């Protein structure tokens, strides 16, 4: 026999109900046939022999009904009615099926049906928009990659690589005439000297003039000087102004020097001079000017 | 031979104690047992420690953790000393030989040991040159188009990503940042093409940090999807210079050797205008090392012909290519030229793709 009150007394208040979920304020019912989801005397599907719910499967809504006549046959207890896809028609169907049923159940069924249709509509809308795909990250793999990246960074030696590349580009002349460094022009001067063309050398000398770098000019002037001269030069300090003033004088002297036959040896000496020079940047210049006349006399 | 026999003798009484029949504790007077893996070396050099190791004694057999640890430390010290001794010996020999000494051995690095990739591009390869003349970037490289970049993010970007996008926009000339208001990329792309953009750059964000990048070359060009890591914004750089100016930077592409690498290189190169303004002295570098592409942005100054001073401006980040797709962004029906598959690519540590 179905004694709803007895059942409710037991599962609702005193003993254990496996569908009940207790929280501080509310009690919920996890039974899938429950219409409101709360644990109440009127909402409990176990404690009401006449009961109805709306459930949704794969986008289709069904009305489930339970009557006391079928309480003895659990397999046939719930009567399933498929509801129309049209909202109003479905509401009418609910009304027709639940005619003469308690107000509470009718009302709650319609409410539940409304909610379900609303969320179905939202699902359909969302699937049309972009879906965000969550890709799981494997912690080990991520850690491995991170480590590999660190090692690769160390192996890359980025700063060095970039600097090398920039210097390469400078050497190849991609920057054109923006940077005029002495050694560049100097190398060019060497090449031209090998060709033994005066005009080219003159042009280079003009370039040197533009730069006004002490080292370069000094190098040229060292061409014919002896090593002993370096010692003298070490003692004095050079002044850039003096160098520039004398640069013009130097050029003419250089021309004279280049005409001599010792161009081959000159090629080697200046390099050495240049090497020497770099260590003592500003020292040699002044003295070279003073020693200018000496090589001249030799040449002639 | 002796070794084997001794093993047998010792086997029975000590079998219960030891799990591995190989390593047996033997009486200390037995020396030179070469079947023992670990203890051969210390036997030759008598350690000047407080006590000497009994030979054929494995550290893992001591049950007491502290004592085991101590023994292990001692073992390590021993090994280190031997290593140093070997080095000294070698150095002595080398010095003794003087000029006749064999040349110093080049240490093996991963780059040295890299498995040769058959798609490595030969500079004079005609086929490659022909391909490059007719691929999607040919328009750029023939100077028909100028790059125009659209930078956007995934939905609802957080502060870090937004700042990153803005900084990227200063680095890449002619770049525009647009807020993505939940638009579908497939719809964005035709609009971009209509407005003359050549590149679409989408920064994907996860947990308030940029972690992915989709770089799409627009008039049906290839789409590359990268994993972004180690993003450093301008604020976080040490010793950085002032903000980048509007000059077009130079581009440096390092180590893009294979065909795939070549394609990536062109992809990056086409982001920037053709003619860099050397007056600006800014350089953007994409350096590939072991399949990681490091991006740096510097301002340089030539101190003399042999030295260059560099100041890092701008953001820095690392990219790792995840997939390269032929057409514009289409994740479902796109034709993928290359996809990173962990089981294929991560198996061999010496094989790289770019």
């Amino acid at each position: 026999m179905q004694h709803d009150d007895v059942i409710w007394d037991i599962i609702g208040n005193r003993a254990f109900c496996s569908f009940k979920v207790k929280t501080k304020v509310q009690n919920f019912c996890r039974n899938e046939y429950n219409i409101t989801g709360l644990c109440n005397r009127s909402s409990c599907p176990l404690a009401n022999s006449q009961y109805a719910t709306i459930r949704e499967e794969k986008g289709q809504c069904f009305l489930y009904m339970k009557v006391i006549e079928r309480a003895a046959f659990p397999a046939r207890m719930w009567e399933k009615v498929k509801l129309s896809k049209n909202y109003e028609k479905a509401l009418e169907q609910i009304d027709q099926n639940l005619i003469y049923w308690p107000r509470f159940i009718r009302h709650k069924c319609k409410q539940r049906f409304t909610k379900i249709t609303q969320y179905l509509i939202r699902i359909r809308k969302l699937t049309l928009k972009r879906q965000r795909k969550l890709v799981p990250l494997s912690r080990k793999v991520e850690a491995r990659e991170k480590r590999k990246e660190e090692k690769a960074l160390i192996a890359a030696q980025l700063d060095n690589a970039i600097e090398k590349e920039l210097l390469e580009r400078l050497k190849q002349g991609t920057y054109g005439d923006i940077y005029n460094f002495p050694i560049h022009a100097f190398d060019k001067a060497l090449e031209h000297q090998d060709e033994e063309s005066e005009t080219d050398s003159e042009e280079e000398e003009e370039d040197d003039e533009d730069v006004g770098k002490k080292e370069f000019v000094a190098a040229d002037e060292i061409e014919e000087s002896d090593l002993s001269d370096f010692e003298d030069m070490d003692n004095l300090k050079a002044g850039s102004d003096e160098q520039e003033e004398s640069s013009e004088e130097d050029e003419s002297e250089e021309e004279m020097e280049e005409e001599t036959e010792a161009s081959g040896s000159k090629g080697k000496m200046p390099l050495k001079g240049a090497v020497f020079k770099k260590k003592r940047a500003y020292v040699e210049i002044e003295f070279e000017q003073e020693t200018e006349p000496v090589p001249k006399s030799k040449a002639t | 031979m002796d070794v084997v026999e001794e093993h047998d003798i010792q086997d029975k009484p000590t079998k219960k104690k030891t799990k591995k029949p190989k390593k047996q504790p033997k009486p200390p007077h037995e020396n030179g047992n070469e079947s023992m893996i670990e203890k051969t070396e210390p036997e030759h050099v008598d350690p000047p420690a407080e006590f000497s190791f009994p030979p054929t004694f494995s550290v893992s057999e001591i049950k007491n953790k502290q004592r085991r640890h101590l023994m292990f430390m001692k073992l390590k010290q021993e090994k280190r000393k031997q290593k140093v001794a070997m080095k000294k010996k070698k150095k002595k020999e080398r010095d003794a030989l003087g000029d006749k000494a064999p040349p110093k051995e080049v240490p093996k690095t991963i780059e040295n040991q890299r498995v040769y990739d058959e798609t490595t591009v030969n500079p004079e390869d005609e086929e490659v040159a022909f391909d490059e003349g007719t691929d999607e970037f040919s328009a750029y490289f023939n100077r028909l188009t100028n790059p125009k970049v659209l930078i956007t993010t995934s939905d609802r970007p957080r502060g870090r990503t937004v700042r990153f996008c803005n900084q990227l926009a200063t680095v890449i000339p002619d770049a525009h940042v647009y807020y993505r208001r939940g638009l579908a990329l497939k719809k964005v792309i035709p609009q971009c093409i209509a407005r003359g953009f050549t590149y679409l750059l989408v920064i994907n964000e996860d947990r308030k940090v940029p972690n992915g990048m989709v770089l799409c070359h627009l008039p049906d060009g290839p789409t590359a999807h990268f994993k972004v890591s180690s993003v450093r914004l301008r604020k976080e750089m040490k010793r950085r210079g002032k903000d980048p100016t509007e000059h077009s930077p130079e581009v440096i592409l390092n180590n893009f050797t294979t065909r795939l690498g070549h394609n990536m290189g062109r992809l990056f190169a086409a982001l920037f205008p053709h003619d860099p303004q050397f007056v600006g002295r800014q350089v953007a570098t994409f350096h590939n090392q072991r399949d990681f592409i490091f991006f740096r942005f510097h301002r340089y100054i030539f101190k003399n012909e042999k030295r260059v001073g560099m100041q890092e401006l701008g953001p820095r980040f690392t990219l790792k290519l995840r997939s390269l797709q032929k057409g514009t962004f289409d994740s479902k029906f796109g034709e993928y030229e290359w996809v990173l598959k962990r089981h294929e690519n991560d198996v061999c540590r010496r094989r790289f793709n770019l």
Side-chain angles (χ1 to χ4, degrees):
Chain A
M1 291 286 298
Q2 274 290 81
H3 301 285
D4 294 339
D5 295 328
V6 175
I7 294 175
W8 176 249
D9 193 38
I10 296 173
I11 62 173
N13 295 327
R14 284 200 235 153
F16 176 75
C17 172
S18 67
F19 299 107
K20 188 191 280 193
V21 175
K22 274 179 156 185
T23 43
K24 282 204 182 142
V25 193
Q26 267 278 35
N27 285 345
F28 294 101
C29 182
R30 282 190 332 167
N31 194 324
E32 61 255 24
Y33 288 101
N34 190 311
I35 197 163
T36 55
L38 309 173
C39 188
N40 284 329
R41 174 69 184 88
S42 41
S43 310
C44 186
L46 306 172
N48 289 306
S49 30
Q50 193 186 38
Y51 199 76
T53 343
I54 308 279
R55 275 173 74 187
E56 174 263 326
E57 265 168 57
K58 297 183 194 167
Q60 276 281 11
C61 294
F62 297 95
L63 170 66
Y64 285 79
M65 287 179 290
K66 163 173 120 160
V67 291
I68 196 166
E69 284 84 25
R70 294 197 300 271
F73 312 107
R76 286 180 258 153
M77 201 155 58
W78 290 97
E79 181 188 342
K80 189 168 160 178
V81 174
K82 184 167 164 181
L83 295 174
S84 142
K85 298 252 173 134
N86 187 334
Y87 182 69
E88 283 88 22
K89 278 207 189 135
L91 285 182
E92 280 172 18
Q93 272 180 303
I94 294 176
D95 267 330
Q96 279 168 17
N97 280 308
L98 296 183
I99 199 168
Y100 309 129
W101 278 55
R103 212 181 305 128
F104 175 79
I105 293 195
R106 257 187 288 146
H107 184 60
K108 290 294 177 188
C109 272
K110 287 187 211 160
Q111 273 191 337
R112 196 178 166 90
F113 177 69
T114 313
K115 258 286 173 310
I116 289 177
T117 43
Q118 283 173 349
Y119 82 61
L120 286 175
I121 291 170
R122 209 184 315 144
I123 290 177
R124 274 181 242 133
K125 254 198 230 165
L126 284 177
T127 50
L128 289 176
K129 283 194 186 173
R130 299 152 44 228
Q131 305 279 36
R132 179 167 292 187
K133 187 175 171 194
L134 292 177
V135 176
L137 293 178
S138 164
R139 229 178 295 161
K140 280 190 188 171
V141 173
E142 293 302 309
R144 223 184 290 153
E145 294 256 307
K146 194 157 161 254
R147 203 157 156 115
K148 277 193 188 165
E149 188 190 320
E150 283 167 14
K151 299 271 176 182
L153 183 61
I154 295 171
Q157 294 177 348
L158 279 171
D159 291 337
N160 290 351
I162 302 177
E163 283 174 12
K164 244 192 351 188
E165 178 69 28
L166 287 173
L167 288 170
E168 274 282 323
R169 290 191 183 180
L170 180 66
K171 250 200 225 169
Q172 285 170 1
T174 42
Y175 298 126
D177 287 330
I178 306 177
Y179 306 104
N180 267 323
F181 285 117
I183 286 296
H184 262 300
F186 189 62
D187 287 342
K188 285 186 207 163
L190 278 181
E191 292 168 24
H192 286 290
Q193 278 175 8
D194 293 342
E195 296 166 7
E196 291 186 345
S197 54
E198 297 173 36
T199 47
D200 293 344
S201 56
E202 283 169 16
E203 286 162 17
E204 282 139 37
E205 288 152 37
E206 286 163 17
D207 288 343
D208 299 336
E209 196 181 359
D210 295 340
V211 173
K213 295 267 178 172
K214 312 163 192 179
E215 294 171 7
F216 180 80
V217 177
D220 283 335
E221 294 167 70
I222 291 177
E223 282 172 20
E224 305 265 74
S225 60
D226 295 339
L227 282 173
S228 55
D229 289 338
F230 283 114
E231 294 162 17
D232 295 333
M233 287 185 249
D234 291 348
N235 298 330
L236 289 186
K237 290 182 186 176
S240 54
D241 300 330
E242 294 168 70
Q243 179 219 339
E244 283 169 23
E245 286 164 25
S246 58
S247 59
E248 289 164 31
E249 300 165 39
D250 299 340
E251 279 163 35
S252 53
E253 289 157 348
E254 286 160 2
E255 283 171 50
M256 297 283 288
E257 292 165 345
E258 277 142 24
E259 284 166 28
T260 61
E261 291 173 351
S263 52
S265 59
K266 262 194 245 169
K268 289 180 191 173
M269 275 296 289
L271 272 180
K272 284 188 192 169
V275 168
F276 262 98
K277 238 221 250 93
K278 269 162 194 163
K279 291 181 185 173
R280 333 154 189 300
Y282 310 105
V283 177
E284 298 112 346
I285 300 163
E286 260 188 9
F287 286 87
E288 288 153 31
Q289 295 150 21
E290 287 170 25
T291 56
E292 275 295 308
V294 177
K296 226 178 174 177
S297 57
K298 283 184 194 168
T300 52
Chain B
M1 299 304 263
D2 288 336
V3 170
V4 175
E5 287 169 49
E6 282 154 358
H7 260 296
D8 291 336
I9 296 167
Q10 297 293 328
D11 238 13
K12 288 158 196 174
T14 55
K15 227 183 188 175
K16 291 179 190 171
K17 289 184 196 172
T18 60
K19 294 173 193 170
K20 301 176 191 174
K22 265 201 284 178
K23 299 172 186 174
Q24 306 252 344
K26 292 206 173 177
H29 65 266
E30 282 176 40
N31 284 316
N33 189 345
E34 286 169 359
S35 64
M36 296 306 299
I37 307 165
E38 287 161 10
K39 281 293 172 174
T40 48
E41 284 156 12
E43 289 153 34
H44 299 306
V45 180
D46 218 354
E50 297 122 28
F51 55 95
S52 57
F53 294 117
T56 72
F57 177 73
S58 126
V59 186
S60 58
E61 281 185 351
I62 307 177
K63 302 290 183 184
N64 184 330
K65 184 168 180 177
Q66 278 186 329
R67 256 188 255 158
R68 189 169 65 231
H69 182 68
L70 275 175
M71 294 297 261
F72 184 68
M73 289 289 126
K74 287 206 166 61
L75 176 67
K76 280 278 172 189
Q77 275 177 1
E78 269 306 306
K79 287 202 173 162
R80 237 178 285 147
K81 275 193 203 155
Q82 277 166 28
K83 194 172 172 193
V84 167
M86 282 292 288
K87 271 198 176 168
K88 269 195 174 171
K89 210 174 85 174
K90 273 200 173 162
K91 188 157 186 292
K92 252 194 193 172
E93 285 171 14
R94 172 172 278 274
D95 288 337
L97 287 179
D99 283 335
K100 289 182 269 172
K104 266 199 174 165
E105 294 153 35
V106 178
K108 293 186 194 170
T109 63
I110 293 186
E111 282 77 26
N112 288 350
Q113 308 294 98
R114 176 176 175 172
V115 167
Y116 177 69
D117 197 333
E118 59 249 349
T119 60
T120 310
V121 171
N122 205 355
E124 301 100 30
D125 204 337
E126 285 171 359
E127 188 194 333
V128 174
F130 176 71
D131 275 342
E132 292 185 355
T134 54
D135 77 353
E136 296 111 347
F137 298 108
S138 54
Y140 167 82
F141 284 104
N142 294 334
R143 307 207 161 211
L144 294 172
T145 54
N146 277 328
K148 192 173 170 193
V149 181
L150 176 72
I151 302 181
T152 182
T153 64
S154 54
D155 285 344
R156 298 182 184 265
R158 308 293 297 214
R160 208 177 150 87
T161 315
V162 171
R163 269 179 274 147
F164 180 56
C165 284
N166 289 332
Q167 291 183 6
L168 264 187
T170 56
V171 163
I172 304 174
D174 201 10
H176 305 267
V177 182
Y178 279 87
Y179 187 51
R180 171 105 166 267
R181 303 172 89 245
L183 299 168
L185 274 184
K186 286 204 196 151
K187 297 207 180 116
V188 168
I189 286 174
Q191 287 186 15
C192 282
I193 299 178
R195 295 195 198 181
F197 281 97
T198 54
Y199 261 101
L200 174 65
L201 188 75
V202 183
I203 311 268
N204 187 46
E205 187 200 12
D206 176 53
R207 295 224 200 135
K208 309 180 194 177
V209 139
N211 76 340
M213 177 160 109
V214 174
L215 186 59
C216 183
H217 185 75
L218 274 181
D220 43 69
T223 309
H225 175 45
F226 298 97
K227 176 172 96 143
V228 170
S229 43
S230 318
V231 173
R232 296 271 173 279
L233 300 177
R234 227 172 259 148
K235 252 203 307 186
E236 297 151 16
M237 306 278 216
K238 298 182 187 173
R239 291 187 281 270
R240 66 177 159 96
K242 293 190 187 163
D243 292 337
T245 57
E246 289 292 321
H247 298 113
S248 318
E250 293 174 50
V251 180
I252 292 183
L253 300 163
N254 274 343
N255 277 351
F256 288 97
T257 50
T258 64
R259 278 303 287 272
L260 183 65
H262 231 60
N263 276 344
M264 300 316 307
R266 288 160 65 83
L267 192 74
F268 290 129
L271 271 174
F272 295 92
H274 294 282
D275 302 310
Q277 292 166 310
F278 297 124
V279 183
R281 286 186 285 126
Q282 287 171 150
V283 58
T285 312
F286 292 90
H287 181 103
N288 170 41
Q289 189 81 15
R290 304 184 193 172
D291 280 357
F292 287 98
I293 303 173
F294 298 102
F295 172 82
R296 299 284 185 270
F297 193 72
H298 292 277
R299 183 174 283 140
Y300 63 87
I301 180 164
F302 283 109
K303 293 185 189 162
N304 55 38
E305 339 43 62
K306 297 275 171 92
R307 283 188 44 216
V308 150
M310 285 204 308
Q311 225 185 13
E312 184 157 7
L313 335 164
R316 65 155 80 157
F317 52 91
T318 0
L319 298 171
K320 184 158 188 191
L321 180 68
R322 280 229 200 99
S323 68
L324 182 64
Q325 188 196 338
K326 261 267 141 161
T328 53
F329 182 73
D330 189 344
S331 46
K332 273 192 266 182
F333 304 111
E335 177 197 336
Y336 280 95
E337 224 178 272
W338 185 81
V339 175
L340 172 75
K341 289 197 186 119
R342 199 161 58 84
H343 292 287
E344 279 176 19
N345 300 87
D346 273 1
V347 167
C348 176
R349 286 188 206 197
R350 312 272 181 263
R351 181 178 298 155
F352 304 110
N353 305 100
L354 286 186

